Amino acid sequence: MTAVAEVMDYAEVVERFDPVLGLEVHVELNTKTKMFCGCANEFGGEPNTHVCPTCLGLPGALPVLNGKGVEGAIRIGLALNCEIAEWCRFARKNYFYPDMPKNFQTSQYDEPIAFNGYLDVTLDDGEVVRVEIERAHMEEDTGKSLHVGGATGRIHGAEHSLLDYNRAGVPLIEIVTKPIVGMGERAPEVARAYVTALRDLLLALDVSDVRMDQGSLRCDANVSLMPKGATEFGTRTETKNVNSFRSVERAVRYEMTRQAAVLVAGGTVTQETRHFQESDGTTSPGRTKETAEDYRYFPEPDLVPIAPSREWVEELRGTLPEMPAARRKRIQTEWNLSAEELRDLFNSGAVELVEATVAEGAKPNDARSWWVNFLAQEANARETEIAALPITPAQVARVAALVDSGELTNKLAREVVKGVLAGEGEPDEVVEKRGLKVVSDDSALLTAVDAALAAQPDIADKIRGGKVQAAGAIVGAVMKATKGQADAKRVRELIIERVGA
């Protein structure tokens, strides 16, 4: 069992040290085939079934570059405000590991396809931080190792290991930030916000499914500390393959507290890779971190250089969608949302559904209320994604229209939505089948009002005496009698008329 490292109180850490971050995000592209061969680029499948001599690194097999992969890399670079290289090439990154069938990774080294960009990131309180991008380069993913028999799922203590090369050769873009400095106590929050914003951007570009749970988006978090007033960066650690936004924040925070404790005790931080433990939010040592020289990079002899024409680059620039930051600003302005309402909307994962409902004729506030509140609760109760609920934006818009026209109360509308979710048909069919229309016939309402007044004569006397607010009790009784199908506003009017108040 690994001993738990000493840590320093976080407030003391940021009082004594300045954190420096470097974030490396790997994103698998959603091309149909792998980067250098024709094998299917699909998640899962029986182990070692999406393989061929090329992605297995067999002698004599030669790579052929995936044009869609290059296109995806350029579009990502453009969206990150990068310069796009007029000429670049691949290199061999040499290292031995069982899940690397060739014993080298085809990557890019000193000549990336995209470089010198930035991404503006909005923090929880609305502050915008610009994260500068060093490079975005193309490479291939490795296979996957499964270590069997140990307590941790890692190679140490395992009885044996299994290898699946289905993922080997999958197109991968690595996006590397420049050092992120000056963030102080907010450094962990900045790390989370950056990866979140990057995921949203990649999703908008439709270049990846960005499923962190399946490894198609992974973050390596580099962290080092400088004593206050120092100008030279400290020794960094790299926490590998962190696979959730919250975990990125926790990993950075923990490394800051661990490294500070080491430094204050007179020790030195080891340059190494580390593994994040989801269970307790700590990191544990991996292997000593190599330098670029250790990888013995040299140009890939089996692939020709890449020289994207400026015309092609500009053509791809024209395919870029509305960027997430611009979209947020537009939606906030058009729908007159507060910063908190905007945050809740985007956190709900229902933005597209709300937009589609508005497009079907619903008012923005109505559409947002249905999806972000009621339907989000239904999704949680069913333990499913909100987009997977069996109801469409058009159906939600129709329910909202029925409320607007006075044919349904909000309470009845919720019953209609539940009926649609239960598979009972379109909203109008559910209204008909369940008999949910608002009772708007004054004669029927007056019968219920008279009965309620007769049952509570003391309340009727209070209303006559000028305490009009007491009418609420009679309204409630009428609503109960009509099973919530009365128009409460009209009921109140009839009560006032009836008692002559």
Side-chain angles (χ1 to χ4, degrees), residues 29 31 33-36 64-74 113 138 171 306 312 316:
L29 300 183
T31 54
T33 57
K34 293 184 180 181
M35 194 63 170
F36 303 113
V64 176
L65 182 59
N66 186 327
K68 281 291 184 181
V70 178
E71 179 181 304
I74 293 174
I113 193 165
M138 299 180 288
I306 304 156
W312 186 38
L316 291 177

Side-chain angles (χ1 to χ4, degrees), residues 54-213:
T54 299
C55 56
L56 287 175
L58 300 183
L62 292 174
V64 176
L65 182 59
N66 186 327
K68 281 291 184 181
V70 178
E71 179 181 304
I74 293 174
R75 293 180 74 237
I76 289 172
L78 291 171
L80 290 171
N81 305 289
C82 289
E83 299 175 49
I84 304 301
E86 296 189 17
W87 189 95
C88 62
R89 56 184 172 176
F90 284 96
R92 290 188 178 184
K93 181 180 182 181
N94 296 274
Y95 65 96
F96 172 78
Y97 204 71
D99 61 14
M100 177 65 71
K102 298 178 295 190
N103 290 340
F104 67 84
Q105 181 185 31
T106 304
S107 182
Q108 290 189 301
Y109 174 45
D110 55 348
E111 298 166 313
I113 193 165
F115 55 93
N116 195 28
Y118 64 87
L119 179 62
D120 287 333
V121 174
T122 303
L123 304 185
D124 291 342
D125 63 356
E127 180 183 347
V128 176
V129 172
R130 175 160 292 186
V131 176
E132 296 188 328
I133 305 297
E134 177 72 37
R135 56 194 281 146
H137 67 257
M138 299 180 288
E139 58 188 25
E140 60 181 337
D141 214 340
T142 62
K144 293 178 70 174
S145 301
L146 176 65
H147 306 297
V148 182
T152 64
R154 304 196 184 280
I155 194 168
H156 300 293
E159 295 175 358
H160 63 277
S161 297
L162 300 174
L163 296 169
D164 178 6
Y165 291 114
N166 280 348
R167 197 177 67 180
V170 164
L172 202 63
I173 306 299
E174 181 175 356
I175 302 164
V176 183
T177 70
K178 294 180 180 180
I180 304 171
V181 297
M183 296 297 103
E185 66 178 351
R186 304 195 75 174
E189 180 191 351
V190 170
R192 169 178 55 79
Y194 166 74
V195 178
T196 303
L198 186 56
R199 176 192 176 275
D200 290 344
L201 181 145
L202 295 166
L203 200 59
L205 290 172
D206 193 27
V207 292
S208 172
D209 63 13
V210 290
R211 290 281 300 272
M212 296 187 83
D213 59 318

Side-chain angles (χ1 to χ4, degrees), residues 84 198 228 317 386 394:
I84 304 301
L198 186 56
K228 289 286 186 180
R317 192 189 302 276
I386 192 169

Side-chain angles (χ1 to χ4, degrees), residues 393-457:
Q395 291 169 329
V396 174
R398 177 56 183 158
V399 173
L402 289 171
V403 174
D404 271 352
S405 68
E407 295 177 67
L408 291 178
T409 63
N410 286 325
K411 182 178 180 181
L412 292 175
R414 287 192 287 272
E415 292 301 313
V416 174
V417 169
K418 288 181 179 179
V420 174
L421 291 172
E424 296 175 20
E426 294 296 313
D428 291 281
E429 293 178 294
V430 175
V431 169
E432 193 66 33
K433 290 176 182 176
R434 294 195 176 191
L436 294 176
K437 269 195 175 180
V438 166
V439 177
S440 56
D441 177 19
D442 279 2
S443 62
L445 292 178
L446 280 171
T447 299
V449 167
D450 289 343
L453 288 170
Q456 301 184 70

